[in-house]
Amino acid sequence: MATIRVLSLILSVLSGVTLLWTQSGECNNGRRSGDAVDTDFSGFSVPLEHSFEVDDVPRFRLRGALQFRGGRENGVYLSQNQLSEKERSTLKDVAAVDGLYRIRVPRVSLQVDRQTERQSEGYLTTFVRACSLVESHLSDFITLHTDVSGSIIGISIVTVPGSCRGIEVEDEVDLEVFNTTISVVAPVTAPPPETAPYIERMEQEMEKKGKNPQEQKSFFAKYWMYIVPLVLFLMMSGAQDQSGGGAGGGAANGGGR
Amino acid sequence: MAWLVVRLAISVSLLYTASAVFEDQVGKFDWRQQFIGKVRFALFDTHSQASKKLLVATDKNVFASLNSRTGDLFWRHVDNTGPEGHIDALLMYGQDAVVVVGNGRLLRSWETTVGGLKWETVLDTGSFQAAALVGVQDHVKYVAVLKKSAISLHDLSSGSQIWVENLPDSDSVQYQTIYSGGDGLVFVFGVVPNSHIVIVEYKIEDGEIMNKKSVEAAWMSSLESSCTVISSGILLCVDQITQSLYTLLLQSAEQTEMRQIHLQTLDLEVASGFQPVLTSAQPNPAQPPLSEFFLQLSPDHHILLQLKDGLIVPLRDFNPSYLAAFATSGERTVAAVMSPKNDTACSINLFSADTGRRHLDTTIIYHMDPNGGKPNRLYVHAFLKKDDSVGYRVMVQTEDLTLTFLQQPGRVVWMREEALADVVTMEMVDLPFTGTQAELEGEFGKKAAIQDGLLPMVLKRLSSQFILLQAWLAHLWKLFYDARKPRSSVKNEVSIDTLSRDEFNLQKMMVMVTASGKLFGIDSKSGTILWKQYLENIQPNSVFKLIVQRTTAHFPHPPQCTLLIKNKDTGIGNLYVFNPIFGKKSQISVPALPRPVLQTLLLPVIDQDYAKVLLLIDDQYKVTAFPSTKNVLQQLQDTASSIFFYLVDTSQGKLSGFRLRKDLSTELIWEVVIPTEVQKIVAVKGKRANEHVHSQGRVMGDRSVLYKYLNPNLLAVITESTDTHQERSFVGIFLIDGVTGRIVHEAVQRKARGPVHFVHSENWVVYVYWNSKFRRNEFSVLELFEGAELYNSTVFSSLDRPHPPQVLQQSYIFPAPISTLEATLTEKGITSRHLLVGLPSGNILSLPKMFLDPRRPEVVSEQSREENLIPYAPEMPIREEWFINYNQTVSRVRGIHTAPSGLESTCLVVAYGLDIYQTRVFPSKQFDVLKDDYDYVLISSVLFGLFFATMISKRLAEVKLLNRAWR
């Protein structure tokens, strides 16, 4: 009984709080630029491109490759290159003029059975302020959003911390490698009206009422042991007054009413 | 435990039972106006002399009876929208009105006095062509209905079908009209375009074809527009190309071709490009029509002609004349003709139909509204006066759907603004201050302060205070004066000159935009139309967007509203700028918009005249600013990098974000593409700009705070699946940040289908969908929270909010269909919110947001009770006390507009559809207003009593102290 209740409680909490369901978040950071990108995956890979220019005209270059493992568990793995000396200085310059750091991925479907039609034209782009990327020491969170059929519909990037305070950054140490957390988010299923647990709960309450004989009894059945003596006492006292007569009895009678 | 649940439920329900309107409050702060729409058929009840009935059928599928003395509705029947309820024909005989509905689907007869249905018959399938009353021996007994391939005759008193006959060669001949002259025969006319006319003669008794003939008419393309029957069975047609009239005797066997009469022989000519129109009169369906008829030769040229002994004789030429109509009273038929008098007025005159002679003293002067449209329909009600002369009244319908009822010598008896039956969008604008208030405002104006020195400022201050005192005294005097008068004689006439803001800003100007392109300014307190403006040349498929650029708060600058009128097909828009209080067009030069407008954006940036800047983005992503003064452009340059906007392309499922550049060009910064193969975007909504949220978080049962995720840039995107199978269809909800394009939340409601109605406000989204599996409407609520601590409590920036919010969601069953959904709005956002649900039944339900709270617990705990959370129940209750419009139902409610008032507790609500209903709602009751029945006497007597008691006891205490000191 108790375990069922606890279970239903957990269930209700789970259904009530629809947390963002994120999938695995592996990443690879310290990869040398000379290393070849792994290709021996059963899944497929998608290029992740970025652009940061002082004149703010996007010119996308390869940042890394997103590796998707096939199967039901859509694991995602990002292998990315280091920033070169020149890129680091450009990024700092862009940050100084409050420019944008943009990334993009092509529109693909993550569903394996739809590999043939996987590639559709166009890209999904997003941006973050270059200064916040610099100040966070290239630690960013990239999230890929898919629709119900598994196609990527949007990409988002945030840095932690996300603010721009104008802190000076040592480029050699902090701007070499990305510290990226990547995840794929699929839509959550919105809860329908929960009739079944409600009815169950109602039934449980009814049952509990049924099991507890105290509650089922009527008022009189519950308290007869107090009522009967009281009534008897009143009757007795009334009878005594009747027999005794006199003014005191009358007063008692009045009080009894 | 159960007891607690029950007790809690009872206490909660008690909390809300008192939210209904009291009986004596009815009509105190609410009003309703009922409309009918554009009149297609109008018939006056000429059955009896004293009858006041006017029967109308409109394009809104409304069949109604109006009181012709007042213009009020006697009764009204609102049929289904769309072609299903379309009224094809309206015929009237005596007390019966026969209506054909839904492209010949139903034949109904109504009792005209009370509007009761007498009978209804389902007709055979087939598209409707014409209907006519059929009389035999001076009595109208039947109604004939002509369909594409069949004709049927029905009894007028019972509706039973007498007979139905298939029409001969109906696949090649287009049968279009029907005629009966009361001689036991029904004629059906059909045409084979550019070849010949077919005339079929049916016997009324049994539907037997008596005669069938075809007549050569190579010039004819359509019967309906160019032919009519006059005199005792003569078909008369007119043709523009050959400039001729054609006649044909229906019942003669020998005439096999139509007789041609050149219009030239009558010295007449049809204006080029104009389709001439013939108008005849058949006063009694059981008798043949008159031999006189009108021929319209050009838009403003009519001529009254007569057919006499086979010859056509002109009786009277009306040049110029806008409209002409016949009317009958008793045995006499008259013709009313409207002719232009001068630029602003028309005169209507009465002529006897048989001679064309003008009746003396029958002129009605019709003054055209300079802000209205041209008259386009004339309905005449003729009656016999006591001295046996003919009197008449007319109803004029104009292009802007105004119905004006006039009587001699030009007195407007009533007016109806039927454009209001189709309100597209609206805004509520604060009323201006009175002169004295404005004076005070002007004193503190920035410009004045800079110009003047210290001493003039003091003097100014004193003088304005004096003016205020004067105004207050005058007000007191008026109150005293009014109090002495009996209550009924005190009238609060609202006019545009006396308009001023009331103490609590409860009275506002409702600016309404209608589909016909007419703008209205309506006083929200009384519903009086204070101004109206008809915008000509509005395409019927235009989209309107109304923007308040400057409110009344910036005296002496007048308030300013801008209406963007956009052609739905081309996307080309133009701006109309006007003053919302007086309705006058503003003199401000408006930017030309040569390219289609994709998006508009009202910025909080203001120019030196306090007008908010409106940005218009065209299809090349170029931005036009309005107003575009130097000051504005400078400000835009400074803030360009923080101005973002989004575009939605539903055909490609693409949402894209742009940032403004300093040179007013734009750059693409984000893109989200929702594949259209799976789902299509149906709606995108941001939050309302004038919304305030008072509390940053919610206090939980354990005294900790759950902070709300209040992202002002959040967009709610609703999609519907392309797969409509009931198991696989779904509704998608995407919450997207409009600046960064980040998908904040993404959810899918399975087995759901549209239409989806939703409200996006504060930190929540409420949407309604149709559950295709269980076949019911369901509500779902999403609430977003930041968690137990805020990331940055001072300012919200979409660029700097890395943690995704917690999303809570819960769904409920709603036991009724829904037409529209809106949330209440108050000044400071302290008052709890209610959802206003427009139901198809015409009621407006005020549903406490408390019931739509995803934190409603399944199992009641000490903490949830502390928080006042209602235990979860899957079904949403509907209580009759929650209907804010009690029995004042709003037909076909299409939108609800909410606006805050000066009182925090009060929200102004306007529901519009076919009707307009205005009221006030108090979601948390009137916590800042004393009740009407507040006991002032008691409280003041208690106060005074206490005061005197303290005085006396103080005195006594003093005496006692003194006495003690002496002792």
Side-chain angles (χ1 to χ4, degrees):
Chain A
M1 188 73 195
T3 50
I4 291 168
R5 283 204 56 182
V6 167
L7 204 70
S8 72
L9 193 85
I10 290 168
L11 271 174
S12 70
V13 167
L14 275 178
S15 52
V17 185
T18 51
L19 290 166
L20 281 177
W21 170 55
T22 58
Q23 282 168 338
S24 69
E26 286 182 51
C27 59
N28 181 6
N29 305 315
R31 187 167 285 272
R32 295 264 163 264
S33 55
D35 282 2
V37 172
D38 279 330
T39 47
D40 56 347
F41 268 87
S42 60
F44 56 96
S45 82
V46 165
L48 172 71
E49 294 169 302
H50 63 172
S51 154
F52 43 97
E53 302 292 335
V54 181
D55 59 358
D56 222 13
V57 178
R59 276 182 288 273
F60 284 96
R61 294 177 300 275
L62 193 70
R63 170 172 160 177
L66 291 161
Q67 306 275 349
F68 294 97
R69 291 197 195 99
R72 288 231 47 89
E73 293 284 307
N74 276 331
V76 62
Y77 180 88
L78 175 65
S79 60
Q80 48 194 352
N81 308 326
Q82 267 188 357
L83 285 181
S84 69
E85 185 78 35
K86 195 174 152 236
E87 284 172 330
R88 285 203 295 268
S89 69
T90 320
L91 188 61
K92 282 193 84 177
D93 292 343
V94 174
V97 297
D98 196 14
L100 303 183
Y101 172 83
R102 300 152 192 266
I103 55 167
R104 72 172 187 191
V105 286
R107 287 177 56 196
V108 292
S109 173
L110 302 185
Q111 217 70 5
V112 180
D113 52 321
R114 297 177 63 177
Q115 296 234 349
T116 45
E117 44 171 317
R118 193 197 290 156
Q119 191 90 33
S120 13
E121 76 285 11
Y123 288 90
L124 303 165
T125 53
T126 189
F127 71 99
V128 72
R129 286 162 82 190
C131 55
S132 65
L133 187 71
V134 170
E135 282 179 32
S136 66
H137 305 245
L138 300 190
S139 43
D140 53 356
F141 288 80
I142 296 176
T143 313
L144 295 165
H145 297 266
T146 65
D147 70 352
V148 275
S149 66
S151 331
I152 300 180
I153 58 163
I155 179 170
S156 72
I157 176 169
V158 286
T159 59
V160 179
S163 56
C164 281
R165 294 203 180 81
I167 306 159
E168 195 60 36
V169 178
E170 296 286 325
D171 53 352
E172 287 312 312
V173 191
D174 297 319
L175 295 182
E176 249 179 20
V177 285
F178 283 102
N179 173 20
T180 307
T181 310
I182 188 150
S183 55
V184 176
V185 175
V188 297
T189 302
E194 285 162 39
T195 36
Y198 180 75
I199 292 165
E200 208 172 281
R201 189 156 56 90
M202 281 291 150
E203 271 170 6
Q204 271 178 18
E205 260 156 33
M206 292 294 283
E207 220 172 88
K208 209 167 63 189
K209 250 189 216 169
K211 274 188 187 155
N212 196 344
Q214 276 266 303
E215 291 204 6
Q216 216 180 24
K217 280 179 185 169
S218 69
F219 177 78
F220 194 77
K222 245 196 259 181
Y223 302 107
W224 65 271
M225 62 279 260
Y226 306 110
I227 296 164
V228 170
L230 195 80
V231 171
L232 276 175
F233 172 73
L234 285 173
M235 277 169 73
M236 294 288 277
S237 62
Q240 267 175 12
D241 286 339
Q242 286 281 313
S243 59
N253 235 347
R257 253 178 223 139
Chain B
M1 191 65 148
W3 269 109
L4 278 172
V5 174
V6 171
R7 217 180 294 165
L8 201 76
I10 290 168
S11 65
V12 166
S13 63
L14 279 177
L15 237 154
Y16 284 96
T17 40
S19 62
V21 178
F22 291 103
E23 198 179 343
D24 60 343
Q25 285 181 319
V26 164
K28 214 173 165 191
F29 44 71
D30 64 323
W31 51 262
R32 177 180 67 164
Q33 288 176 6
Q34 291 185 307
F35 298 96
I36 48 175
K38 181 184 180 180
V39 171
R40 290 179 62 237
F41 306 101
L43 295 172
F44 288 95
D45 182 10
T46 49
H47 181 66
S48 74
Q49 210 53 249
S51 174
K52 295 183 283 188
K53 281 193 294 283
L54 164 60
L55 291 180
V56 285
T58 71
D59 68 336
K60 293 260 178 274
N61 303 349
V62 172
F63 177 49
S65 170
L66 298 177
N67 182 340
S68 66
R69 304 281 197 276
T70 61
D72 298 334
L73 287 170
F74 278 130
W75 47 260
R76 183 180 74 169
H77 294 288
V78 182
D79 212 325
N80 294 344
T81 49
E84 205 184 331
H86 184 258
I87 296 171
D88 302 314
L90 168 64
L91 305 166
M92 187 158 118
Y93 184 74
Q95 290 286 320
D96 302 333
V98 179
V99 177
V100 184
V101 179
N103 197 12
R105 193 170 52 90
L106 292 169
L107 184 69
R108 285 180 183 147
S109 173
W110 299 90
E111 208 282 325
T112 54
T113 353
V114 291
L117 184 66
K118 284 181 83 172
W119 51 259
E120 181 183 84
T121 317
V122 180
L123 297 175
D124 295 341
T125 52
S127 80
F128 173 80
Q129 296 296 329
L133 293 170
V134 177
V136 187
Q137 291 156 357
D138 286 354
H139 288 286
V140 178
K141 280 186 179 166
Y142 309 108
V143 56
V145 178
L146 179 69
K147 297 277 192 101
K148 202 168 164 39
S149 59
I151 176 171
S152 57
L153 197 75
H154 300 264
D155 190 90
L156 192 60
S157 56
S158 67
S160 59
Q161 184 177 294
I162 312 287
W163 50 261
V164 59
E165 291 295 327
N166 282 329
L167 296 163
D169 311 323
S170 62
D171 42 353
S172 61
V173 182
Q174 298 173 13
Y175 289 97
Q176 288 176 336
T177 52
I178 199 165
Y179 160 75
S180 166
D183 47 3
L185 293 171
V186 176
F187 293 89
V188 175
F189 303 104
V191 65
V192 178
N194 304 318
S195 172
H196 60 274
I197 305 176
V198 178
I199 299 163
V200 190
E201 230 174 285
Y202 287 94
K203 206 168 136 190
I204 285 178
E205 282 80 40
D206 50 6
E208 186 191 341
I209 296 182
M210 300 299 286
N211 194 1
K212 177 179 178 265
K213 64 178 170 184
S214 66
V215 180
E216 206 69 18
W219 43 271
M220 181 173 285
S221 56
S222 169
L223 267 166
E224 221 167 356
S225 56
S226 57
C227 289
T228 183
V229 177
I230 56 160
S231 197
S232 49
I234 293 167
L235 182 71
L236 179 78
C237 295
V238 65
D239 178 45
Q240 186 221 335
I241 296 156
T242 55
Q243 295 270 345
S244 314
L245 288 168
Y246 296 87
T247 57
L248 177 73
L249 208 59
L250 290 177
Q251 275 164 313
S252 86
E254 57 265 28
Q255 196 184 351
T256 52
E257 62 180 34
M258 298 188 87
R259 201 157 69 84
Q260 188 177 14
I261 301 162
H262 281 284
L263 283 172
Q264 241 173 356
T265 60
L266 300 164
D267 280 342
L268 297 174
E269 196 188 354
V270 178
S272 64
F274 182 77
Q275 172 69 42
V277 182
L278 285 169
T279 315
S280 66
Q282 187 176 12
N284 186 346
Q287 278 169 4
L290 302 180
S291 56
E292 292 81 18
F293 59 95
F294 271 113
L295 173 62
Q296 190 179 5
L297 296 163
S298 78
D300 52 0
H301 187 191
H302 292 79
I303 184 161
L304 182 67
L305 299 162
Q306 186 182 40
L307 183 80
K308 203 174 182 184
D309 310 327
L311 285 172
I312 288 178
V313 191
L315 287 178
R316 196 173 181 121
D317 194 0
F318 301 100
N319 191 12
S321 58
Y322 291 146
L323 300 164
F326 284 109
T328 306
S329 175
E331 294 297 302
R332 292 158 75 174
T333 301
V334 288
V337 178
M338 180 190 265
S339 317
K341 191 162 182 264
N342 52 38
D343 287 347
T344 59
C346 289
S347 66
I348 303 162
N349 281 296
L350 212 58
F351 302 87
S352 72
D354 45 358
T355 59
R357 204 175 299 130
R358 195 169 86 89
H359 286 226
L360 292 174
D361 302 325
T362 55
T363 308
I364 290 180
I365 305 292
Y366 169 71
H367 291 279
M368 283 192 284
D369 186 357
N371 301 327
K374 288 199 186 77
N376 62 1
R377 293 291 285 276
L378 183 69
Y379 302 98
V380 184
H381 179 212
F383 53 89
L384 286 176
K385 288 187 194 164
K386 281 190 186 111
D387 59 353
D388 210 32
S389 64
V390 181
Y392 73 120
R393 301 184 187 96
V394 290
M395 184 170 80
V396 183
Q397 183 173 4
T398 53
E399 285 170 344
D400 57 332
L401 309 186
T402 307
L403 289 179
T404 315
F405 196 78
L406 299 140
Q407 70 178 34
Q408 280 173 291
R411 193 172 76 85
V412 176
V413 184
W414 51 261
M415 244 172 138
R416 289 183 69 91
E417 291 290 352
E418 290 306 331
L420 284 171
D422 205 347
V423 174
V424 182
T425 178
M426 67 168 292
E427 279 292 339
M428 285 181 113
V429 183
D430 293 350
L431 290 176
F433 293 110
T434 54
T436 46
Q437 285 169 318
E439 178 85 10
L440 213 66
E441 280 282 306
E443 183 204 339
F444 298 113
K446 262 185 196 161
K447 281 177 187 169
I450 297 159
Q451 281 161 12
D452 299 342
L454 190 68
L455 195 68
M457 284 281 281
V458 173
L459 287 177
K460 217 173 183 181
R461 181 72 211 252
L462 285 176
S463 72
S464 54
Q465 290 283 18
F466 180 71
I467 291 167
L468 271 184
L469 183 74
Q470 224 175 359
W472 185 65
L473 286 175
H475 176 71
L476 277 188
W477 172 246
K478 192 173 175 289
L479 270 184
F480 176 67
Y481 197 74
D482 283 349
R484 292 193 316 176
K485 278 199 262 183
R487 184 156 287 185
S488 56
S489 70
V490 181
K491 262 190 189 165
N492 282 323
E493 280 287 307
V494 189
S495 80
I496 207 147
D497 308 311
T498 58
L499 270 189
S500 68
R501 197 181 296 187
D502 60 334
E503 228 171 328
F504 299 119
N505 201 4
L506 290 165
Q507 190 179 5
K508 291 200 178 198
M509 178 67 87
M510 292 159 51
V511 180
M512 298 192 125
V513 182
T514 62
S516 63
K518 196 167 188 185
L519 310 181
F520 290 91
I522 299 174
D523 169 40
S524 75
K525 198 174 180 183
S526 60
T528 321
I529 296 169
L530 295 172
W531 59 263
K532 48 201 169 187
Q533 178 73 48
Y534 178 57
L535 307 178
E536 277 170 59
N537 307 322
I538 299 285
Q539 304 293 320
N541 59 347
S542 294
V543 186
F544 299 91
K545 187 164 185 183
L546 185 63
I547 301 138
V548 182
Q549 276 197 292
R550 183 165 55 218
T551 60
T552 3
H554 305 287
F555 187 82
H557 301 288
Q560 182 180 323
C561 272
T562 303
L563 180 69
L564 173 71
I565 306 149
K566 202 170 104 173
N567 189 311
K568 209 173 191 170
D569 299 329
T570 63
I572 303 276
N574 59 307
L575 295 174
Y576 177 80
V577 186
F578 63 100
N579 179 333
I581 304 299
F582 301 106
K584 289 199 185 70
K585 190 177 177 180
S586 172
Q587 298 304 317
I588 295 171
S589 65
V590 172
L593 303 169
R595 303 213 59 87
V597 177
L598 294 183
Q599 175 74 291
T600 56
L601 189 64
L602 188 70
L603 296 181
V605 176
I606 51 168
D607 72 347
Q608 70 270 35
D609 291 337
Y610 305 99
K612 281 184 185 167
V613 176
L614 180 69
L615 294 186
L616 300 140
I617 295 100
D618 66 20
D619 65 340
Q620 292 183 331
Y621 312 118
K622 288 268 185 303
V623 172
T624 313
F626 171 71
S628 56
T629 55
K630 219 172 170 186
N631 176 301
V632 169
L633 293 178
Q634 183 61 45
Q635 285 191 59
L636 282 180
Q637 271 191 13
D638 296 345
T639 53
S641 64
S642 59
I643 296 172
F644 299 85
F645 61 92
Y646 69 94
L647 295 178
V648 185
D649 183 351
T650 48
S651 62
Q652 294 176 38
K654 191 151 94 181
L655 290 134
S656 39
F658 292 81
R659 184 164 79 154
L660 195 67
R661 286 219 187 104
K662 288 200 192 312
D663 58 346
L664 290 191
S665 63
T666 56
E667 57 177 331
L668 180 76
I669 49 171
W670 60 264
E671 239 177 326
V672 167
V673 185
I674 300 167
T676 46
E677 301 90 65
V678 184
Q679 53 196 333
K680 55 181 193 299
I681 299 172
V682 289
V684 179
K685 246 189 221 175
K687 289 177 188 173
R688 287 178 67 165
N690 57 346
E691 177 185 276
H692 296 276
V693 182
H694 186 258
S695 92
Q696 286 273 307
R698 285 184 60 165
V699 181
M700 314 264 281
D702 58 1
R703 295 281 176 262
S704 67
V705 177
L706 187 61
Y707 285 101
K708 294 173 184 172
Y709 179 76
L710 296 167
N711 184 348
N713 310 316
L714 200 66
L715 303 174
V717 180
I718 300 283
T719 63
E720 276 177 39
S721 62
T722 46
D723 191 347
T724 50
H725 185 270
Q726 61 155 8
E727 286 289 325
R728 292 189 298 271
S729 68
F730 64 87
V731 166
I733 307 99
F734 298 85
L735 299 178
I736 299 178
D737 189 299
V739 170
T740 62
R742 183 181 181 193
I743 299 175
V744 169
H745 182 66
E746 192 185 347
V748 167
Q749 193 83 47
R750 303 267 174 196
K751 289 164 192 150
R753 222 171 44 194
V756 181
H757 302 278
F758 69 111
V759 176
H760 182 197
S761 178
E762 279 186 51
N763 64 329
W764 48 264
V765 178
V766 172
Y767 59 92
V768 190
Y769 57 91
W770 171 256
N771 187 323
S772 50
K773 191 184 175 199
F774 293 108
R775 296 171 180 280
R776 63 191 182 198
N777 282 291
E778 288 177 6
F779 257 115
S780 194
V781 57
L782 274 161
E783 277 197 26
L784 289 90
F785 292 99
E786 289 223 351
E789 51 191 277
L790 276 178
Y791 177 79
N792 179 351
S793 58
T794 49
V795 67
F796 186 95
S797 167
S798 286
L799 297 168
D800 179 18
R801 192 94 359 181
H803 307 296
Q806 296 173 17
V807 182
L808 307 178
Q809 187 166 14
Q810 221 169 45
S811 301
Y812 316 89
I813 302 162
F814 190 70
I818 282 175
S819 298
T820 184
L821 196 65
E822 187 54 82
T824 59
L825 192 67
T826 51
E827 182 80 17
K828 297 267 182 276
I830 299 167
T831 309
S832 61
R833 307 291 292 270
H834 275 204
L835 284 170
L836 300 171
V837 188
L839 306 177
S841 63
N843 289 309
I844 296 159
L845 181 77
S846 179
L847 187 68
K849 171 70 180 55
M850 208 174 164
F851 280 90
L852 287 158
D853 185 346
R855 301 187 60 251
R856 281 175 71 174
E858 292 264 327
V859 180
V860 188
S861 69
E862 196 65 47
Q863 290 197 351
S864 72
R865 213 171 307 127
E866 186 92 349
E867 255 188 274
N868 259 335
L869 291 174
I870 308 161
Y872 181 77
E875 184 161 331
M876 192 68 65
I878 294 184
R879 303 221 176 91
E880 273 71 23
E881 315 91 82
W882 290 351
F883 290 151
I884 57 169
N885 55 345
Y886 45 105
N887 64 354
Q888 307 277 302
T889 52
V890 186
S891 282
R892 294 196 196 137
V893 56
R894 210 170 39 246
I896 297 173
H897 183 88
T898 52
S901 73
L903 284 175
E904 172 54 33
S905 66
T906 311
C907 169
L908 305 176
V909 177
V910 181
Y912 54 87
L914 188 62
D915 304 339
I916 296 175
Y917 179 75
Q918 191 277 143
T919 190
R920 296 173 196 165
V921 289
F922 318 101
S924 300
K925 308 229 202 78
Q926 288 180 286
F927 60 82
D928 50 2
V929 177
L930 290 180
K931 272 186 201 141
D932 286 347
D933 54 354
Y934 185 77
D935 203 342
Y936 292 96
V937 178
L938 182 75
I939 194 94
S940 43
S941 58
V942 166
L943 263 177
F944 278 115
L946 279 173
F947 178 71
F948 285 119
T950 17
M951 294 290 279
I952 291 161
S953 56
K954 198 179 167 193
R955 174 84 191 129
L956 287 174
E958 271 173 10
V959 168
K960 200 175 178 186
L961 269 176
L962 194 68
N963 286 342
R964 194 181 290 166
W966 275 108
R967 205 172 283 162

